């Protein structure tokens, strides 16, 4: 009975995990395609279009690499060697770091877009879209450098078990770093994460204040028609605020699960490891769905495409 229950649990986690993965890949692919086309075809694209495209691309690559790791845990193990283990784990950690940076950048950009002309942030409005590629390049260089140790410490261990190795998947493990180097890297990563979350909190708080002021100003207007409709900037700001709140919740939940299971993961329990990955990648799956659901341009585009397909089917 215990073996059957464990098997059912394993199958349920596997099916749920790959369902989440499939939804996330499809949603991020749609979001990326739409915003890239919008950025290329529109004469005056939004300042956040390129950033959202970058975020969708990061999540797309992150979920793909996660799929390779999950395949190793749930299925075939003949695919892996040292080079493939290094490439997959390095890409995954790189995308996770870029995800939090790009999310923070999206929050800051929206705060700048929403800021009034009298604000000190107003002078950055016209520079945002031109400076984004430079910011992306700096972020990539920083996170490529900070994760370079993974190219050394990641090894393929298909038939090797050792208490000194940290479990990553059935075929890949991490060699332990020296005490000093391990603490330097963990301190640097923690500092960066909390600094970015603090910057998100500041920009989100600033947006909340601006939205509250705008609401009070609208309430003084006599026209009920004007008071019933929010501007596109306000709708976008509410979406970003919701996205920031969801990110912080998932980050805290991921930290709790990681701290609880860190000792267990050294014993290479694949089920618990998949639960942790399921939680830690919830943001990459849900965030594109949230952005799509509140993007009227994309909803109109998708509905028009569905309408054309239905007409083609009925005409045939």
């Amino acid at each position: 009975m215990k073996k059957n229950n464990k098997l059912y649990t394993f199958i349920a986690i596997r099916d749920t995990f790959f369902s989440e993965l499939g939804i996330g890949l499809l949603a991020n692919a749609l979001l990326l395609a739409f915003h890239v086309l919008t950025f290329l075809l529109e004469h005056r694209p939004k300042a956040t279009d390129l950033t959202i495209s970058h975020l969708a691309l990061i999540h797309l690559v992150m979920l793909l690499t996660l799929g390779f790791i999950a395949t190793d845990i749930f299925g075939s193990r003949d695919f892996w060697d040292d080079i493939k283990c290094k490439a997959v784990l390095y890409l995954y950690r790189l995308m996770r770091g870029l995800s939090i940076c790009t999310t923070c950048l999206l929050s800051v950009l929206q705060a700048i877009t929403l800021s009034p002309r009298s604000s000190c942030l107003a002078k950055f409005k016209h520079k945002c879209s031109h400076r984004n590629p430079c910011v992306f390049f700096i972020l990539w260089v920083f996170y490529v450098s900070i994760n370079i140790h993974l190219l050394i410490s990641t090894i393929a261990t298909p038939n090797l078990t050792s208490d000194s190795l940290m479990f990553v998947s059935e075929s890949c493990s991490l060699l332990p770093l020296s005490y000093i180097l391990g603490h330097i890297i963990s301190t640097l990563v923690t500092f960066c994460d909390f600094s970015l979350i603090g910057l998100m909190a500041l920009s989100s708080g600033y947006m909340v204040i601006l939205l509250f002021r705008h609401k009070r100003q609208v309430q003084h207007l006599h026209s009920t028609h004007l008071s019933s409709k929010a501007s596109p900037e306000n709708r976008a700001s509410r979406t970003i605020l919701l996205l920031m709140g969801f990110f912080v919740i998932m980050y805290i939940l991921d930290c709790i699960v990681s701290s609880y299971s860190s000792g267990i993961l050294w014993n290479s329990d694949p089920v618990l490891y998949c639960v942790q990955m399921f939680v830690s990648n919830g943001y990459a799956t849900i965030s594109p769905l949230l952005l799509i659901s509140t993007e009227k341009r994309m909803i109109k585009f998708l509905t028009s495409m569905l309408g054309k397909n239905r007409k083609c089917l009925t005409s045939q």
Side-chain angles (χ1 to χ4, degrees):
M1 288 294 292
K2 287 184 178 180
K3 287 184 178 180
N4 288 335
N5 289 336
K6 192 172 182 179
L7 179 62
Y8 290 144
T9 303
F10 186 80
I11 293 172
I13 290 174
R14 182 195 63 189
D15 293 344
T16 306
F17 185 82
F18 280 111
S19 297
E20 181 196 35
L21 208 62
I23 293 169
L25 288 171
L26 178 61
N28 280 294
L30 285 173
L31 189 66
L32 175 62
F34 175 78
H35 278 281
V36 167
L37 288 173
T38 301
F39 186 81
L40 293 175
L41 299 178
E42 286 193 4
H43 296 290
R44 295 183 63 185
K46 292 181 181 179
T48 55
D49 281 338
L50 186 58
T51 308
I52 292 175
S53 302
H54 187 241
L55 185 64
L57 176 63
I58 288 167
H59 287 163
L60 196 61
V61 176
M62 187 169 75
L63 291 173
L64 283 172
T65 55
L66 183 66
F68 279 106
I69 297 173
T71 302
D72 183 36
I73 294 173
F74 291 115
S76 174
R77 299 166 194 172
D78 300 328
F79 170 79
W80 299 91
D81 55 28
D82 275 355
I83 295 175
K84 291 167 185 174
C85 283
K86 292 176 189 295
V88 169
L89 185 60
Y90 181 78
L91 267 178
Y92 176 69
R93 292 289 182 87
L94 175 63
M95 293 304 117
R96 276 186 62 83
L98 288 170
S99 175
I100 183 172
C101 281
T102 309
T103 302
C104 178
L105 179 62
L106 185 61
S107 177
V108 172
L109 282 176
Q110 192 58 42
I112 292 172
T113 303
L114 193 66
S115 60
R117 293 180 181 178
S118 58
S119 171
C120 59
L121 296 176
K123 60 183 179 181
F124 297 105
K125 283 188 179 183
H126 301 291
K127 298 178 182 180
C128 288
S129 58
H130 301 291
R131 297 289 175 86
N132 274 355
C134 297
V135 175
F136 294 154
F137 177 75
I138 293 170
L139 292 179
W140 274 82
V141 169
F142 175 75
Y143 275 96
V144 163
S145 304
I146 202 174
N147 288 298
I148 201 74
H149 69 280
L150 292 171
L151 296 177
I152 302 170
S153 59
T154 305
I155 58 171
T157 54
N159 299 313
L160 179 65
T161 56
S162 174
D163 293 335
S164 63
L165 297 174
M166 185 175 181
F167 174 76
V168 176
S169 68
E170 292 292 334
S171 301
C172 304
S173 298
L174 285 174
L175 291 169
L177 297 172
S178 64
Y179 180 81
I180 296 175
L181 183 59
H183 273 272
I184 290 173
I185 292 173
S186 61
T187 302
L188 184 59
V189 170
T190 304
F191 175 77
C192 290
D193 285 357
F194 278 98
S195 298
L196 291 168
I197 290 174
L199 189 56
M200 280 187 220
L202 287 174
S203 57
S204 299
Y206 180 68
M207 281 190 283
V208 169
I209 293 171
L210 291 178
L211 289 172
F212 180 73
R213 286 179 180 174
H214 177 77
K215 186 177 180 180
R216 290 184 62 181
Q217 290 173 356
V218 168
Q219 286 175 348
H220 288 86
L221 298 175
H222 298 289
S223 174
T224 56
H225 177 69
L226 290 174
S227 62
S228 62
K229 288 186 177 181
S231 66
E233 291 80 7
N234 289 351
R235 288 197 301 269
S237 299
R238 289 166 188 167
T239 303
I240 302 301
L241 284 172
L242 188 58
L243 194 67
M244 297 305 105
F246 179 71
F247 175 84
V248 171
I249 291 171
M250 294 305 296
Y251 184 86
I252 294 171
L253 189 60
D254 182 32
C255 290
I256 293 171
V257 173
S258 298
S259 61
Y260 169 75
S261 59
S262 59
I264 301 171
L265 295 184
W266 286 84
N267 296 323
S268 66
D269 189 323
V271 175
L272 288 174
Y273 188 65
C274 284
V275 170
Q276 184 195 356
M277 288 196 298
F278 181 82
V279 172
S280 63
N281 292 280
Y283 174 70
T285 300
I286 301 299
S287 61
L289 296 174
L290 180 62
L291 289 168
I292 289 171
S293 65
T294 55
E295 180 57 78
K296 287 189 174 182
R297 297 176 300 169
M298 191 167 183
I299 293 173
K300 288 179 180 178
F301 175 76
L302 291 174
T303 52
S304 64
M305 290 297 294
L306 289 173
K308 289 179 180 178
N309 289 333
R310 287 178 182 175
K311 286 179 181 180
C312 291
L313 290 173
T314 53
S315 62
Q316 291 176 356

